[in-house]
Amino acid sequence: MKYVLMFVETEDYANELAAMGEAERGAAYDEVGRWFAEHDARITRHVHLQPAHTATTVRLQDGRAEVSDGPFVEGKEIVSGFVEVEVADLDEALAMARSWPACPIVEIRPAAS
Amino acid sequence: MSTTHDELARVVREHAGRLAASLVHLLGDFAAAEDLVQDAVEAALRRWPTEGIPERPDAWLFTVARRRGLDVLRRQTRYRDKLAQLQWPVPGEPDDRLRLVFTCCHPALPRQAQIALTLRVVCGLTTGQIAAAFLVPETTVARRITRAKRKITDAGIPYRIPGDDELPDRLDEVLTVVYLLFNEGYLSSTPDRAHSRRLAEDAEWLAASLAWLMPREPEVLGLLALIRLHEARAAARFDDEGRIVLLPDQDRSRYDHDAIDAATQLLAQAAARHRAGPYQLQAAIVACHAEAPTWADTDWAQILVLYDMLLQHTPNPVVRLNRAVALRHVAGPAVALGELDGLAATLADHHLYHATRAELLRALGHPGPAREADLRALELTTNPAQRAVLERRLDAREWS
């Protein structure tokens, strides 16, 4: 089955990352690199998104399109990237998400076939 | 009438779960298999009370499920071929039922759905019976079950026993569901005790099945021992008018002492594996109470040690509150009250916190503040039996 793992950044995590020294941050990025290498065979697509300030949201309601800045009003949790993976079932996707070394929330959704 | 009903419930539970397990295994489609079993269960509940329980209830249920399956799935060759090959009894795969329990209690399902699904699929209860047991509208239960089944299929929740590395996490989920079921039946806030009794029995049966299927898991044995110890003391917990009798006042001759011995043996078997966990420790605490010939003989020092161990596994404020009660009997009410002060912020809305505080304040000779604490506890309690205990205590103070 195809799943999408969406990586969700939080304010706390962003602050934590900002507070890190250069070496520490480098080590954190290395861990992410290792995660990708380890799961390479199952990752069919990877998209890393630009930071939240680049986002634009279009809200379609009552036949009108309201365009606003940012992911959503007062949003404190922001999708920062996603991978598409090909695995047997939810448990396998869960195991991948469990070993994700970076941002603290991962949403897993099956991709419609 | 109620004996017939209990017998029916027992037979259905025994066989519906097995049938569901084998059908899910065979069809590889949880929702389709579950529908077939529910149809058969409903037919049984309709017909057995008048026709009598058939000589081979499992074969009866199987025949109905299979016939119904062939009807419904006539168009789908995939299932038709499989159902056509199906025989009862299915060559035994004892793990099938265990797989079923793990699927129903998958952490990706909401807790309420885990409970409803386990009762329905593993214990064979109908939507109506589950709704009655939890005092919620039948449509709510039906919706929860439908959503859960859809999620199992759409999200790709597998039908399997988790691997060794995931097992501790996933087993926790299963044990939590079984213990929640038991507590709902045992400490039920529902006025209709007949329904809740059956939930406690379902939980005991589930725990016993798990123990049979996973005899090497000490926490499974611990949960079974815990449930059986509570059950063994059930007769002494209520007086003839259905009011709660508190532990110090319970008539211990009404405990089922054979059952207590058997449960403590089970616990010893679990302890021999040297992997203590919250269920074993809770069971050990209940065993201390159950084995004490009188309230005055309670081994509080041992209970305090067990609470200290339990706190290491489950560092939560309610465990600390219970530990403070043991501490009172080892070190005196003043020390225990000091311990409660540390919990004031987290347990401000917990009725047992205030009720325990009231007892300690009274023991230390402060009737005024004790009464205030009892009143606060009363405000926070919805369970009618627990309310009655607090009201009696407050009444007694009026007269003294």
Side-chain angles (χ1 to χ4, degrees):
Chain A
M1 263 177 90
K2 267 202 170 59
Y3 291 85
V4 173
L5 272 52
M6 284 174 272
F7 303 115
V8 182
E9 303 273 1
T10 61
E11 255 178 28
D12 282 351
Y13 179 73
N15 293 340
E16 232 174 80
L17 208 60
M20 282 180 185
E22 201 138 310
E24 214 182 335
R25 198 170 318 133
Y29 289 149
D30 286 347
E31 269 194 63
V32 173
R34 266 197 296 279
W35 186 88
F36 274 102
E38 193 183 319
H39 297 289
D40 187 48
R42 292 183 286 191
I43 295 173
T44 45
R45 213 148 92 84
H46 169 223
V47 175
H48 184 72
L49 300 174
Q50 291 296 327
H53 75 267
T54 63
T56 306
T57 301
V58 181
R59 216 170 283 270
L60 299 162
Q61 227 167 13
D62 306 325
R64 292 182 52 237
E66 191 191 310
V67 179
S68 65
D69 160 40
F72 31 79
V73 188
E74 292 178 55
K76 302 234 190 277
E77 295 179 352
I78 292 140
V79 176
S80 62
F82 59 87
V83 291
E84 183 194 74
V85 299
E86 177 72 52
V87 290
D89 53 40
L90 181 62
D91 280 356
E92 205 178 318
L94 271 171
M96 277 181 79
R98 238 180 231 128
S99 65
W100 171 246
C103 60
I105 301 172
V106 180
E107 180 177 328
I108 303 173
R109 295 261 290 275
S113 44
Chain B
M1 173 63 205
S2 96
T3 352
T4 320
H5 201 107
D6 287 353
E7 175 68 1
L8 267 184
R10 193 188 60 74
V11 171
V12 167
R13 188 168 56 193
E14 194 72 43
H15 299 299
R18 276 206 301 147
L19 184 56
S22 60
L23 281 175
V24 176
H25 183 69
L26 183 91
L27 300 176
D29 181 321
F30 186 92
E34 201 271 339
D35 285 344
L36 296 183
V37 177
Q38 271 302 300
D39 279 335
V41 165
E42 272 158 29
L45 293 178
R46 228 172 20 247
R47 290 175 48 189
W48 292 359
T50 49
E51 295 172 15
I53 296 175
E55 206 165 301
R56 289 186 54 212
D58 52 341
W60 192 99
L61 286 169
F62 165 73
T63 307
V64 174
R66 185 168 176 273
R67 194 186 307 135
R68 178 94 180 112
L70 288 168
D71 271 357
V72 172
L73 304 167
R74 205 169 293 283
R75 290 162 306 253
Q76 303 184 26
T77 35
R78 179 161 80 96
Y79 293 139
R80 199 178 56 209
D81 293 347
K82 283 188 168 177
L83 278 166
Q85 298 160 8
L86 185 53
Q87 286 175 11
W88 191 263
V90 182
E93 261 211 61
D95 285 353
D96 273 0
R97 228 173 10 171
L98 193 57
R99 258 195 273 263
L100 200 58
V101 176
F102 275 103
T103 306
C104 292
C105 297
H106 196 280
L109 297 170
R111 180 75 75 203
Q112 298 283 22
Q114 294 175 6
I115 292 173
L117 213 54
T118 305
L119 281 175
R120 159 109 147 197
V121 182
V122 187
C123 300
L125 265 64
T126 63
T127 312
Q129 289 170 326
I130 299 167
F134 284 96
L135 290 182
V136 293
E138 193 170 339
T139 46
T140 307
V141 175
R143 204 163 41 229
R144 274 181 200 151
I145 289 176
T146 308
R147 278 206 197 125
K149 284 197 289 186
R150 203 161 40 193
K151 179 153 185 187
I152 288 175
T153 310
D154 293 349
I157 291 177
Y159 172 60
R160 67 177 181 83
I161 298 170
D164 285 347
D165 51 331
E166 307 156 273
L167 194 63
D169 268 1
R170 298 287 309 278
L171 187 59
D172 275 357
E173 210 76 28
V174 170
L175 296 180
T176 303
V177 164
V178 175
Y179 196 43
L180 280 175
L181 268 184
F182 176 73
N183 276 319
E184 183 63 31
Y186 186 71
L187 290 173
S188 176
S189 49
T190 63
D192 184 351
R193 302 234 324 126
H195 280 304
S196 43
R197 272 307 294 167
R198 217 162 287 139
L199 277 188
E201 282 162 21
D202 278 322
E204 197 213 321
W205 177 80
L206 275 170
S209 309
L210 287 175
W212 184 75
L213 293 162
M214 322 172 80
R216 276 183 295 278
E217 282 300 325
E219 277 292 89
V220 175
L221 302 180
L223 176 61
L224 181 59
L226 175 60
I227 288 177
R228 289 192 169 156
L229 283 163
H230 278 311
E231 291 282 80
R233 297 162 59 214
R237 284 184 69 239
F238 293 93
D239 65 15
D240 295 338
E241 276 115 72
R243 292 180 302 192
I244 289 186
V245 181
L246 295 176
L247 189 54
D249 307 322
Q250 286 176 6
D251 175 0
R252 289 165 191 240
S253 69
R254 299 183 71 182
Y255 289 178
D256 180 344
H257 291 282
D258 290 342
I260 290 169
D261 287 347
T264 49
Q265 275 173 33
L266 194 62
L267 196 54
Q269 209 179 308
R273 304 222 157 245
H274 301 293
R275 270 164 49 209
Y279 293 107
Q280 294 168 77
L281 291 167
Q282 288 181 79
I285 291 166
V286 179
C288 282
H289 287 299
E291 286 180 321
T294 67
W295 169 252
D297 293 320
T298 309
D299 186 351
W300 289 108
Q302 174 67 25
I303 291 174
L304 189 59
V305 169
L306 290 167
Y307 270 120
D308 285 336
M309 291 170 74
L310 185 57
L311 260 184
Q312 286 177 4
H313 285 273
T314 342
N316 84 44
V318 176
V319 175
R320 277 185 67 195
L321 175 66
N322 287 317
R323 180 185 170 274
V325 175
L327 191 62
R328 170 197 177 167
H329 295 280
V330 176
V335 178
L337 193 62
E339 184 68 16
L340 281 203
D341 287 342
L343 299 170
T346 35
L347 292 180
D349 294 328
H350 198 286
H351 73 275
L352 280 179
Y353 167 77
H354 296 283
T356 309
R357 227 178 131 251
E359 280 177 41
L360 295 174
L361 287 165
R362 201 167 293 125
L364 290 164
H366 306 300
R371 189 183 154 74
E372 271 170 45
D374 265 337
L375 284 169
R376 181 78 189 115
L378 190 60
E379 274 172 30
L380 295 167
T381 314
T382 49
N383 182 309
Q386 283 170 349
R387 286 187 68 86
V389 169
L390 289 165
E391 277 161 2
R392 262 181 287 160
R393 196 148 88 184
L394 282 161
D395 278 354
R397 302 312 300 166
E398 305 285 3
W399 295 102
S400 62

